[in-house]
């Protein structure tokens, strides 16, 4: 698994000074004022990389890129990287070689921004390591918990009731309510047609049966009833008989149609 991990670059600073520091005589911490700050022992490039959960502080030559020293960091803050008590631009790191030997040296940056970037790159890396550790721990705890079996047992079935759906093949569809709130008509049965009743033509008999009453002469002194009584004949005689007799006596008159009602 370690061989499959790749190395990523976290921070690169082109100028860094390296100092030999005296042994620490008390637990108060390191002081940069005790070093010969004007006469660094080595000057080169600093590169911070990570591989897996471990960060590496590499001191390299500016021109050739040859490795001068390397400090693996497993925890920050920790014994591998410590800050000094009197400045924010200087640090004490523990370098190691391939044989297991280690030594403490001092490094310093001329610019405070470079020191800040170096410090933040280590903090971000180990913050990510902490999150990864918590996630893996939670996943392991989840694996140990009893899992809820939601699968169907042998012979177990489930029934779904879905509204407005027919359960039999060929079932009649229910009428749907349109958007305006009115019900749509059912479709006609297969093979059937809806016959539209014909409109009856106007009947000539109805027109013929419409008889226009004779006009009534108006008089200022005689009423309509008196006009009818002035006709020849007794009052009890048929008033309309004279009209029928007179009409039949005229030879040149066009015979009446049979549809007309004779009085």
């Amino acid at each position: 698994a370690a061989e499959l991990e790749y190395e990523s670059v976290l921070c690169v600073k082109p100028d860094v000074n390296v100092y030999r520091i005296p042994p620490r005589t008390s637990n108060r911490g390191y002081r940069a004022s005790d070093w010969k700050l004007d006469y660094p022992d080595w000057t080169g490039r600093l590169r911070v990389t990570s591989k897996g959960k471990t960060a590496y502080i590499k001191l390299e030559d500016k021109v050739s890129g040859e490795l001068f020293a390397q400090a693996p960091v497993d925890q920050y803050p920790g014994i591998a990287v410590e800050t000094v008590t009197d400045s924010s631009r200087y640090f004490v790191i523990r370098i190691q070689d391939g044989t297991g030997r280690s030594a403490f040296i001092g490094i310093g940056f001329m610019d405070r921004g470079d020191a800040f970037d170096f410090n933040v790159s280590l903090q971000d890396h180990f913050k990510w390591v902490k999150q990864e550790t918590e996630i893996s721990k939670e996943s392991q705890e989840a694996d140990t918990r009893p899992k809820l079996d939601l699968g169907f047992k042998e012979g177990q079935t489930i029934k779904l009731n879905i509204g407005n759906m027919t359960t039999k093949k060929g079932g009649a569809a229910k009428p749907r309510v349109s958007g305006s709130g009115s019900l749509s008509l059912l479709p006609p049965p297969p093979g059937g047609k809806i016959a539209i009743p014909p409109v009856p033509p106007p009947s000539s008999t109805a027109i013929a049966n419409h008889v226009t009453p004779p006009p009534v002469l108006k008089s200022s002194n005689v009423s309509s009833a008196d006009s009818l009584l002035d006709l020849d004949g007794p009052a009890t005689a048929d008033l309309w008989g004279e009209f029928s007799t007179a009409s039949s006596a005229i030879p040149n008159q066009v015979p009446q149609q049979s549809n007309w009602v004779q009085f």
Side-chain angles (χ1 to χ4, degrees):
E3 294 178 357
L4 297 177
E5 294 176 350
Y6 60 91
E7 185 178 25
S8 60
V9 179
L10 304 179
C11 179
V12 177
K13 294 302 174 184
D15 294 313
V16 63
N17 296 327
V18 176
Y19 303 93
R20 292 181 180 178
I21 59 176
R24 184 168 52 179
T25 58
S26 63
N27 294 329
R28 292 183 304 174
Y30 294 98
R31 292 176 57 89
S33 58
D34 297 336
W35 309 345
K36 297 178 181 180
L37 300 179
D38 295 335
Y39 305 97
D41 297 292
W42 184 86
T43 302
R45 179 181 65 188
L46 179 141
R47 193 159 60 99
V48 181
T49 63
S50 66
K51 190 174 183 180
K53 296 181 179 181
T54 305
Y56 297 89
I57 301 174
K58 297 183 178 183
L59 303 175
E60 301 172 343
D61 187 83
K62 290 183 180 181
V63 180
S64 63
E66 182 181 0
L67 183 63
F68 172 73
Q70 177 177 269
V73 183
D74 297 329
Q75 184 181 359
Y76 184 77
I79 192 174
V81 180
E82 298 182 50
T83 58
V84 297
T85 58
D86 57 348
S87 177
S88 61
R89 295 187 292 113
Y90 297 92
F91 302 86
V92 176
I93 63 175
R94 183 184 62 184
I95 58 175
Q96 293 180 351
D97 58 4
T99 60
R101 294 182 302 177
S102 62
F104 290 92
I105 61 174
I107 61 173
F109 300 95
M110 299 300 297
D111 185 55
R112 293 186 184 275
D114 293 342
F116 177 80
D117 294 341
F118 169 75
N119 189 18
V120 169
S121 63
L122 292 174
Q123 289 179 354
D124 291 344
H125 171 72
F126 287 99
K127 186 183 297 183
W128 170 81
V129 170
K130 182 180 180 180
Q131 293 176 354
E132 288 292 321
T133 304
E134 292 177 355
I135 293 174
S136 61
K137 184 179 180 181
E138 291 177 359
S139 62
Q140 290 178 0
E141 291 178 355
D143 293 339
T144 57
R145 296 173 186 171
K147 297 182 179 179
L148 181 61
D149 187 10
L150 299 178
F152 288 99
K153 304 299 186 295
E154 185 177 357
Q156 185 179 4
T157 59
I158 186 171
K159 182 180 179 181
L160 298 178
N161 294 326
I162 303 176
N164 297 331
M165 291 186 64
T166 56
T167 56
K168 294 183 180 179
K169 244 179 166 181
K174 295 183 180 180
R176 296 182 178 178
V177 180
S178 60
S180 60
S182 60
L183 292 176
S184 60
L185 297 178
L186 292 176
K193 296 183 179 179
I194 299 175
I196 301 175
V199 180
S203 175
S204 60
T205 305
I207 298 175
N209 290 335
H210 180 72
V211 178
T212 304
V216 179
L217 298 176
K218 294 182 180 181
S219 176
S220 60
N221 297 325
V222 183
S223 63
S224 60
D226 295 337
S227 299
L228 293 176
L229 294 176
D230 289 340
L231 297 175
D232 296 338
T236 59
D238 187 9
L239 298 178
W240 297 99
E242 297 294 335
F243 289 96
S244 301
T245 306
S247 62
S248 60
I250 300 172
N252 295 330
Q253 188 175 0
V254 180
Q256 296 180 357
Q257 297 180 1
S258 61
N259 292 333
W260 288 83
V261 179
Q262 306 223 356
F263 294 94

